[in-house]
Amino acid sequence: MSGSESWEYSLSIPNDPRAVTVSRRTLRLILTMHGLIGLVDVAELLAAELVANAVRHTKGPAALRVHWAADVLRIGAWDTDPAPPDVPLPFERSADLGLEDGRGLALVRACSDLWGWQPLSRDGNKGKFVWCELGAA
């Protein structure tokens, strides 16, 4: 694993659907370079869902933030919409109902150890930060 050092990366994202792929590939590179290969697949999926929500549901810029400390990876997406995210249905239920919308956060809830959101300002823009955590184990 990555050892005891902590680190953080931020990626500014334009409001563009291609940002999801850029974010996934950037996260894969970051985790690979830090020796966290075991987290790559799930982390990539979670980051893609968070960034896709930020790009799909807001009109402004967004940002991906990746933070590692104490053997916990925190992945988060900031966007310009201060409204709280919709509370996700359990993933199985949203799949059973055939819902396309709202499955992103249900997937985040199902695949992460912990998730949440908070109001946040960035570069003078108000918005929110939606995050999730994955433990190294």
Side-chain angles (χ1 to χ4, degrees):
M1 281 292 159
S2 180
S4 61
E5 82 276 2
S6 62
W7 44 261
E8 182 172 297
Y9 292 86
S10 282
L11 176 66
S12 295
I13 300 167
N15 190 272
D16 183 325
R18 293 171 291 193
V20 176
T21 301
V22 171
S23 297
R24 285 179 77 137
R25 291 182 180 166
T26 301
L27 179 62
R28 176 172 285 273
L29 180 60
I30 290 167
L31 296 179
T32 300
M33 297 304 293
H34 283 281
L36 296 169
I37 296 292
L39 295 179
V40 167
D41 291 336
V42 174
E44 225 184 341
L45 175 68
L46 296 174
E49 292 298 336
L50 294 174
V51 170
N53 280 347
V55 170
R56 183 180 307 123
H57 299 298
T58 67
K59 295 185 177 19
L64 173 69
R65 195 169 99 203
V66 184
H67 178 82
W68 173 260
D71 288 340
V72 174
L73 180 69
R74 179 176 274 208
I75 303 162
W78 168 83
D79 65 51
T80 57
D81 183 359
D86 292 333
V87 175
L89 291 170
F91 186 68
E92 302 78 30
R93 178 135 184 256
S94 63
D96 289 345
L97 295 174
L99 298 176
E100 286 301 314
D101 265 2
R103 287 183 62 184
L105 280 181
L107 195 59
V108 169
R109 183 170 87 173
C111 296
S112 64
D113 297 329
L114 190 64
W115 81 277
W117 79 278
Q118 63 202 61
L120 193 69
S121 293
R122 181 185 168 103
D123 301 327
N125 295 316
K126 298 240 181 276
K128 70 178 165 296
F129 184 67
V130 182
W131 54 268
C132 62
E133 291 183 348
L134 288 174

